[in-house]
Amino acid sequence: MEAFCRAADAYNAALVRFMFETAARIDQAVSIEPDDLRPAENKVRVKAQKGHPESWITVSPQMMDELLALPPKRPKNRKTGKFMKPRVFGYGSSTGYNTRWKTICKSAGIPYLSAHPAGRRGFFTELVVRQGVDPVTAAKAGRWSDPNLPMRIYAHAETDEADVRARFRTNHVQEDPVQTPKQQKSQKE
C-alpha cells in the first residue's frame, strides 16, 4: 500500500487510503461528491449497497484533510458523453480506476492491487490480524452484517507456523505443575 501511494497521484493515493480506512466498496468511494463530506464532523456519506442503507461514516481528521485537498473533478459519462456532477475522486464508474491502478502498480514495482483487496480485505486484515481488534467490532465498523463472512473470506494469517510453535515453547504461565489424579488424592489425605 505504501509503495502504491508513493507511485500514485493524489487522487488515487487518497482513494486507496480512503477504502482501506473505511472498508468502502469501490462503487461507494467513486460515487462520493463534495456534498457528501461533513468536514466539521469528519463524516463522509456512502451510498447504499448490498443490503445496507446509505450512511455517514467517520474518517480520521487526516483523511478528511486529504479529501478536502482534492479539487473535485467532473467525469464524463461513457455512454452519454455528458459531464457528470463533480466527484471527489474524479471517476465516473466503479471500473474507471482499473487502467490507472495497473499503471501505478507497474510504476511502483508491485503486483496489481485491485480495489477490493486494497479496501475491504485490507481493512479487515489490518484491524483483526495486525491490530488485534475482535472480529465482531471490525465487522460492525466495516458494515458487514455477519462477522463470520469477513473472517472466512478476508482474514489471512501473517505469522508462519514456526512462529506459532515457538510461542508454545516459552515458559508455562501456571505456577503449579499439572497434577495427576493420584497426586491430587494424596494431597487431600
Side-chain angles (χ1 to χ4, degrees):
M1 189 108 133
E2 290 174 20
F4 179 94
C5 289
R6 280 193 302 274
D9 58 278
Y11 288 91
N12 286 289
L15 176 58
V16 76
R17 283 194 282 264
F18 175 78
M19 292 189 311
F20 182 78
E21 181 176 316
T22 65
R25 291 177 170 84
I26 186 66
D27 190 44
Q28 291 173 310
V30 298
S31 298
I32 296 171
E33 299 175 0
D35 290 343
D36 294 328
L37 305 178
R38 286 188 184 160
E41 303 168 47
N42 292 322
K43 299 250 184 208
V44 178
R45 179 177 32 215
V46 292
K47 72 181 197 174
Q49 200 161 50
K50 294 221 177 182
H52 295 279
E54 172 186 289
S55 62
W56 288 90
I57 55 175
T58 304
V59 296
S60 67
Q62 297 83 1
M63 184 80 259
M64 183 56 72
D65 289 344
E66 196 170 351
L67 296 176
L68 293 172
L70 300 172
K73 291 182 178 180
R74 293 187 67 196
K76 200 182 260 189
N77 183 313
R78 291 180 184 175
K79 292 179 184 174
T80 66
K82 294 182 180 180
F83 283 99
M84 302 167 75
K85 289 183 178 180
R87 299 223 176 154
V88 171
F89 298 111
Y91 289 110
S93 74
S94 62
T95 58
Y97 77 100
N98 272 320
T99 302
R100 179 71 183 120
W101 279 30
K102 287 176 184 175
T103 302
I104 292 168
C105 290
K106 186 175 181 179
S107 175
I110 60 174
Y112 174 65
L113 176 69
S114 70
H116 204 72
R120 292 183 68 75
R121 182 181 302 156
F123 171 89
F124 196 80
T125 300
E126 176 67 23
L127 287 181
V128 175
V129 176
R130 296 184 192 125
Q131 295 188 24
V133 172
D134 70 273
V136 174
T137 300
K140 183 177 178 185
R143 296 168 312 284
W144 279 280
S145 309
D146 178 3
N148 292 314
L149 177 79
M151 279 299 291
R152 194 174 59 249
I153 296 174
Y154 303 130
H156 64 275
E158 292 190 337
T159 304
D160 67 3
E161 187 176 346
D163 183 49
V164 171
R165 299 294 174 236
R167 292 171 191 250
F168 284 101
R169 289 190 282 275
T170 61
N171 293 332
H172 294 285
V173 177
Q174 297 175 340
E175 290 181 23
D176 295 329
V178 177
Q179 297 179 349
T180 63
K182 280 187 177 181
Q183 290 170 326
Q184 289 173 349
K185 185 177 180 182
S186 64
Q187 282 182 351
K188 288 180 185 177
E189 295 171 4

